[in-house]
């Protein structure tokens, strides 16, 4: 007998009236880009409608459990600014929010569904694999037509059982998806799926319907791989007499035209992207546009803060065509975010990368961050850009020859000698003074600044491409080191001539 008192008490807890969405990840140990996008859309719908964003952990698949995996979920949501209003850690009116902690609930609802005629106890010992191969036709399952008395007898005898959904043999089921529209399937193509397994645990397909209902979920956002299960979910809702939530199935995120992104095939997860030097904000902004596009006057806009996304996000903007993940595009987004950061904030995120290459504490990390900020796409490219600070690299004298700056070997030697003298006489080692020395020299010689600055920068850095120019690099190196490197340049040129 179903425990109707208990069920009524659960039903009374369900919040009604406002939008409630849930992100329901399985703890796999990493955040797939597609999952993060689901989390984001789920969050945006809740915030856009002034509703509630819920985190539910779907851990019924015990075989897939990974140590510390739930922490990865919390950490990712926190870093991406997708703070949840209800969840295992913050609680809420429909706790618990972890599926394994909800185990007793599913059985009770399944018993009720049996009484309502939409599920049945099945005592067959046919293995699931026989169903999968089609050798056993569920339509002919003898347990489907057991009388309540026969069922009760078998239960009393302690026979092991599963509880199956009773799918009508006739007719069809139509469900509506916000992006895919109406989809109709013949009921005869749907199987009497297991709802409660022999061990008493629910199947995923049953648990998520019960949880979505018990948690008052109004919008179910999930990957399109669940589209084919949606008719069975509808039949469950109808079997219980419950309202059906809005479905928002999202097309997969692809690595190319034909293949989904996949961690197994080496595509990056969210954590991988962060390790590769991408900023959370840039990743969030970029993935928002992988499968959703803004409407009207925002149609061309690409850069959105999270609050702007909340305002602009409409369900009608979600696309049913798969989007391709383009790492080059993400690099572009990342550089836009890096350039827009407050200098102190950039210095803070860049410092660990700066210190990978620059170990000498005399060189100020914030000053080096200053020359990097406008020239960095991803944080991981920082170390190789500034590898010349700790030690002047071995370089070829030919670097002094630069057509565009109109420099050659003898001219460069001349310049370095003059700059050496002027630098040595400087009392103040600041940008303005350092620059003044070089522009003064250029003016005196009737030359463009580049003819002076090029050889100085080569002498200071030993490489043709550097973040920052001669002035900033000289300032950061300090006068003694700058003079030492200029002297080394003079010796190199003398030897080459
Ligand atoms: N736990 C499922 C997953 O991680 C979520 C499916 C759903 O949102 O309903 O794929």
């Amino acid at each position: 007998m179903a425990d109707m008192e208990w069920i009524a008490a659960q039903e009374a807890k369900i919040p009604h009236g406002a939008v409630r969405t849930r992100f329901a990840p399985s703890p796999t140990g990493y955040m797939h880009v597609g999952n993060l996008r689901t989390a984001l859309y789920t969050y945006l719908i809740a915030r856009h409608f002034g509703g509630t964003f819920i985190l539910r952990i779907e851990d019924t698949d015990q075989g897939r459990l990974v140590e510390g995996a739930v922490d990865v979920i919390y950490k990712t949501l926190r870093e991406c600014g997708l703070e949840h209003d209800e969840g295992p850690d913050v609680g809420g009116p429909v706790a618990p929010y972890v599926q394994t902690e909800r185990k007793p609930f599913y059985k009770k609802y399944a018993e009720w569904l049996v009484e309502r005629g939409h599920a049945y106890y099945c005592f067959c010992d046919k293995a699931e694999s026989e169903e999968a191969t089609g050798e056993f036709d569920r339509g002919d399952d003898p347990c489907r037509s057991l009388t309540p008395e026969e069922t009760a007898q078998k239960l009393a005898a302690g026979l092991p059982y599963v509880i199956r959904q009773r799918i009508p043999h006739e007719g069809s089921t139509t469900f509506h998806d916000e992006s895919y529209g109406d989809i109709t399937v013949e009921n005869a193509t749907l199987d009497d799926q297991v709802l409660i397994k022999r061990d008493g645990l629910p199947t995923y397909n049953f648990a998520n319907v019960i949880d979505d209902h018990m948690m008052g979920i109004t919008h179910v956002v999930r990957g399109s791989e669940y589209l084919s299960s949606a008719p069975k979910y509808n039949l469950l809702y109808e079997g219980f007499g419950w309202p059906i939530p809005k479905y928002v199935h999202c097309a997969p995120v692809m690595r190319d035209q034909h293949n989904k992104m996949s961690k197994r095939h080496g595509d990056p997860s969210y954590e991988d992207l962060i390790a590769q030097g991408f900023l959370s904000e840039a990743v969030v902004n970029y993935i928002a546009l992988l499968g959703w596009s803004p409407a009207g006057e925002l149609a061309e806009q690409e850069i959105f803060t999270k609050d702007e996304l909340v305002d602009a996000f409409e369900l009608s903007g979600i696309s049913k065509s798969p989007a391709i993940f383009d790492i080059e595009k993400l690099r572009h987004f990342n550089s836009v975010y890096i350039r827009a950061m407050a200098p102190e904030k950039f210095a803070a995120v860049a410092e660990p990368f700066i210190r990978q290459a620059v170990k000498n504490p005399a060189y100020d990390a914030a000053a080096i961050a200053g020359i990097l900020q406008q020239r960095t796409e991803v944080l991981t490219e920082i170390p190789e850009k500034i590898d010349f600070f700790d030690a002047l690299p071995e370089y070829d004298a030919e670097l002094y020859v630069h057509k565009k700056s109109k420099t050659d070997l003898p001219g460069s030697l001349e310049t370095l000698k003059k700059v050496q003298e002027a630098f040595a006489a400087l009392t103040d080692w600041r940008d303005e003074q350092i620059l003044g020395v070089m522009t003064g020299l250029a003016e005196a010689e009737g030359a463009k600044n580049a003819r002076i600055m090029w050889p100085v920068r080569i002498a200071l850095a030993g490489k043709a491409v550097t973040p920052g120019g001669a002035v900033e690099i000289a300032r950061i190196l300090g006068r003694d080191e700058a003079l030492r490197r200029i002297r080394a340049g003079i010796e190199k040129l003398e030897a080459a001539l």
Side-chain angles (χ1 to χ4, degrees):
M1 282 287 282
D3 186 348
M4 290 317 294
E5 212 170 303
W6 179 86
I7 287 177
Q10 303 314 308
E11 297 291 304
K13 285 190 208 166
I14 301 174
H16 292 288
V19 163
R20 290 172 64 80
T21 65
R22 89 309 192 264
F23 176 48
S26 302
T28 55
Y30 60 90
M31 185 70 77
H32 190 279
V33 168
N35 280 352
L36 183 59
R37 186 191 56 173
T38 300
L40 175 63
Y41 289 3
T42 311
Y43 169 88
L44 292 174
I45 293 169
R47 291 287 175 268
H48 182 81
F49 291 107
T52 302
F53 175 52
I54 297 156
L55 174 65
R56 178 171 81 225
I57 302 298
E58 300 207 322
D59 57 349
T60 44
D61 190 351
Q62 296 284 323
R64 274 170 58 196
L65 285 197
V66 179
E67 185 88 22
V70 178
D71 291 331
V72 171
I73 295 168
Y74 290 139
K75 182 166 178 279
T76 308
L77 293 182
R78 197 168 51 238
E79 283 179 11
C80 294
L82 309 179
E83 62 284 348
H84 49 283
D85 308 305
E86 296 173 24
D89 51 343
V90 291
V94 289
Y97 292 89
V98 178
Q99 269 183 342
T100 45
E101 293 173 24
R102 301 174 62 78
K103 182 176 163 183
F105 301 0
Y106 308 113
K107 185 81 177 296
K108 291 188 166 162
Y109 273 99
E111 285 164 358
W112 187 35
L113 196 62
V114 170
E115 280 185 26
R116 293 178 63 91
H118 297 281
Y120 60 93
Y121 289 89
C122 174
F123 302 93
C124 296
D125 51 11
K126 291 285 175 191
E128 297 287 315
S129 60
E130 289 175 83
E131 289 177 46
T133 58
E135 284 165 30
F136 182 70
D137 182 1
R138 269 297 147 209
D140 301 333
D141 188 338
C143 300
R144 211 179 134 106
S145 47
L146 288 177
T147 63
E149 295 70 33
E150 288 168 328
T151 299
Q153 263 174 17
K154 288 183 188 285
L155 288 176
L159 293 185
Y161 62 86
V162 300
I163 298 180
R164 290 184 183 277
Q165 184 174 2
R166 186 191 296 278
I167 305 263
H169 286 160
E170 313 291 320
S172 60
T173 300
T174 299
F175 72 95
H176 181 77
D177 179 87
E178 293 299 314
S179 40
Y180 290 82
D182 279 348
I183 298 183
T184 301
V185 298
E186 296 301 318
N187 290 338
T189 64
L190 306 174
D191 65 320
D192 280 4
Q193 63 175 342
V194 172
L195 306 178
I196 301 289
K197 297 181 283 189
R198 277 199 178 77
D199 60 6
L201 276 176
T203 55
Y204 169 73
N205 279 345
F206 189 55
N208 93 87
V209 167
I210 298 303
D211 289 342
D212 285 343
H213 169 72
M214 291 182 81
M215 294 182 175
I217 301 305
T218 57
H219 296 66
V220 171
V221 187
R222 56 159 73 103
S224 58
E225 65 271 26
Y226 292 95
L227 266 177
S228 61
S229 302
K232 290 191 263 189
Y233 299 158
N234 266 24
L235 289 170
L236 285 172
Y237 283 106
E238 286 167 5
F240 282 111
W242 292 337
I244 294 167
K246 275 194 195 316
Y247 292 120
V248 185
H249 287 92
C250 301
V253 180
M254 310 288 284
R255 64 185 321 193
D256 54 40
Q257 288 290 338
H258 305 290
N259 300 291
K260 286 189 194 182
M261 259 184 112
S262 120
K263 175 123 176 111
R264 255 188 324 128
H265 290 111
D267 295 320
S269 63
Y270 166 78
E271 294 75 28
D272 294 332
L273 291 173
I274 298 305
Q276 288 170 20
F278 292 96
L279 301 172
S280 299
E281 292 90 339
V283 174
V284 167
N285 187 159
Y286 175 62
I287 65 168
L289 299 169
L290 280 179
W292 169 80
S293 38
E297 57 195 37
L298 299 178
E300 298 302 314
Q301 185 172 329
E302 285 192 324
I303 302 299
F304 287 86
T305 63
K306 206 183 66 181
D307 288 344
E308 287 170 339
L309 284 176
V310 167
D311 281 345
F313 201 80
E314 300 286 351
L315 291 177
S316 54
I318 296 178
S319 164
K320 61 180 177 188
S321 37
I324 295 179
F325 180 85
D326 178 353
I327 196 103
E328 287 308 318
K329 187 96 197 212
L330 177 57
R331 286 177 75 95
H332 164 70
F333 274 69
N334 211 55
S335 67
V336 171
Y337 273 83
I338 285 180
R339 287 202 298 272
M341 282 171 111
E344 318 77 68
K345 195 163 168 227
F346 176 71
V349 298
E351 179 156 3
F353 296 90
I354 292 172
R355 287 299 174 210
Q356 281 173 27
V358 182
K359 311 272 187 213
N360 185 344
Y363 299 141
D364 180 27
I368 296 176
I371 61 171
L372 287 166
Q373 186 164 4
Q374 299 306 314
R375 302 171 176 87
T376 301
E377 279 194 322
V378 290
L379 299 172
T380 38
E381 69 191 16
I382 287 178
E384 44 129 5
K385 281 183 192 285
I386 51 170
D387 56 1
F388 58 87
F389 275 106
D390 273 10
L392 182 65
E394 274 302 322
Y395 66 96
D396 200 304
E398 283 306 309
L399 276 188
Y400 285 101
V401 183
H402 188 242
K403 224 164 143 199
K404 210 163 144 239
S405 308
K406 296 198 165 49
T407 59
D408 56 15
L409 296 183
S412 296
L413 177 59
E414 210 50 28
T415 300
L416 288 189
K417 283 180 170 167
K418 288 181 182 157
V419 169
Q420 180 187 32
E421 203 176 314
F423 276 179
L426 270 186
T427 47
D428 222 352
W429 193 249
R430 284 184 298 162
D431 284 9
E432 208 187 316
Q433 282 68 26
I434 300 168
L435 178 67
V437 163
M438 293 188 279
T439 51
L441 205 58
E443 206 176 324
E445 297 190 0
K448 289 228 167 87
N449 289 344
R451 215 189 76 200
I452 307 298
M453 304 248 204
W454 178 273
V456 173
R457 196 173 54 86
I458 295 300
L460 295 177
K463 51 200 291 208
V465 180
T466 57
V471 175
E472 293 108 320
I473 294 172
R475 186 226 317 136
I476 295 167
L477 286 172
R479 185 168 43 186
D480 289 351
E481 180 61 15
L483 281 172
R484 198 188 67 72
R485 292 185 182 199
I486 288 173
R487 214 172 309 124
I490 290 171
E491 281 163 20
K492 186 181 286 278
L493 284 164
E494 283 174 344
L497 280 166

